[in-house]
Amino acid sequence: LEGEEASVIALGDGERFVLLAPAQDHKRVGEGDTGPNTGGMGAYSPTPAVGEADLRVVADKVIGPAVRQLAKEGRPFRGALYAGLMMTAQGPKVIEFNARLGDPETQTILARLESDLLPALHAAAKGDLRGVELAFSEKAAITVVLAAEGYPGKVRTGDPIAGLDQVQEDDDLIVFHAGTALRDGRVVTSGGRVLGVTARGATVEEARERAYRACETIHFAGMHYRRDIAHRALARSGGSK
């Protein structure tokens, strides 16, 4: 399939569904989408790969039919339905479905969510999403994954993480812990994808700059991360890569 990868997540109650804001993940480990696939090296939202018209097509041709067919088969789906898509010249094509929220897309998407998530999750679990609407900020959000040496292969663990106390977290910047552990009072690496640095900004470029400033503050042996997250969006807008 040729096109741009995109992620669209829906909350379903067995019959109905509501869409979360779309995002674009970066699966390859290296800049320029090179190297082996990973669980995701970063994401951003909104993405020009999925406009309003595209999102309606995804709802009508991808999410809706999946939800209806599962209900027809007597196994209605309640929860988060993740559609990994390729946005092609012929429209969205499904690469995969996951019955969960996606990582690192979720960190990125929820940074833009202005609604209370808990009532929506409760409504989905109860089987009644009628009247539930989710509002998202006009701000952009980006997540940069800091990975351990060797990722996505065999990784080294147990390395102390420095600089976390120097990152000034606020409403527009948060560092999510993924592959970390606390040993002898110190935060150390304990997995492949170690941290997810998530930032918001008025534009994708502003969010990106804020996230990468925080990334430069954090250090651990063998740390690596992609320095071109959101490169497609910036290329379209003429911004820096």
Side-chain angles (χ1 to χ4, degrees):
L1 292 174
E2 294 184 4
E4 289 194 39
E5 190 169 348
S7 305
V8 177
I9 303 171
L11 293 180
D13 67 3
E15 297 180 24
R16 296 160 289 269
F17 62 91
V18 293
L19 297 181
L20 277 64
Q24 187 169 71
D25 191 13
H26 296 63
K27 291 292 188 186
R28 300 283 183 173
V29 72
E31 278 85 10
D33 301 313
T34 58
N37 272 326
T38 72
M41 293 297 292
Y44 70 98
S45 177
T47 169
V50 185
E52 287 298 323
D54 298 314
L55 201 57
R56 288 193 292 271
V57 173
V58 172
D60 293 341
K61 302 295 185 181
V62 177
I63 303 295
V67 170
R68 288 193 294 272
Q69 183 63 29
L70 287 168
K72 182 179 179 181
E73 294 177 4
R75 43 182 177 175
F77 182 84
R78 296 182 183 182
L81 182 63
Y82 166 115
L85 307 169
M86 188 68 77
M87 306 303 294
T88 75
Q90 294 75 39
K93 305 294 183 182
V94 177
I95 300 173
E96 63 176 351
F97 278 120
N98 291 306
R100 57 174 171 77
L101 294 169
D103 173 17
E105 295 95 328
T106 302
Q107 296 92 311
T108 310
I109 294 167
L110 294 188
R112 297 184 57 221
L113 181 64
E114 294 184 328
S115 308
D116 190 344
L117 181 62
L118 182 58
L121 295 177
H122 188 231
K126 287 175 58 182
D128 190 0
L129 278 169
R130 287 176 296 182
V132 173
E133 296 182 2
L134 298 176
F136 291 87
S137 170
E138 292 295 321
K139 286 187 174 183
I142 184 171
T143 297
V144 179
V145 171
L146 306 185
E149 182 176 325
Y151 184 77
K154 184 177 181 180
V155 299
R156 56 182 282 173
T157 61
D159 291 307
I161 303 173
L164 288 172
D165 56 344
Q166 299 174 35
V167 176
Q168 300 298 313
E169 293 188 335
D170 55 32
D171 288 343
D172 288 327
L173 178 67
I174 185 170
V175 179
F176 289 97
H177 288 240
T180 66
L182 191 63
R183 295 178 186 167
D184 300 323
R186 300 192 68 178
V187 180
V188 300
T189 63
S190 68
R193 291 187 293 170
V194 179
L195 300 165
V197 179
T198 300
R200 296 194 308 175
T203 63
V204 170
E205 189 161 8
E206 182 179 297
R208 186 175 187 264
E209 291 174 355
R210 182 171 290 149
Y212 278 119
R213 281 199 303 270
C215 291
E216 291 169 0
T217 304
I218 302 168
H219 304 280
F220 55 86
M223 183 180 88
H224 64 98
Y225 57 96
R226 283 185 56 165
R227 291 169 170 80
D228 68 343
I229 302 301
H231 65 92
R232 290 191 182 92
L234 296 178
R236 290 191 188 194
S237 66
S240 61
K241 301 181 184 62

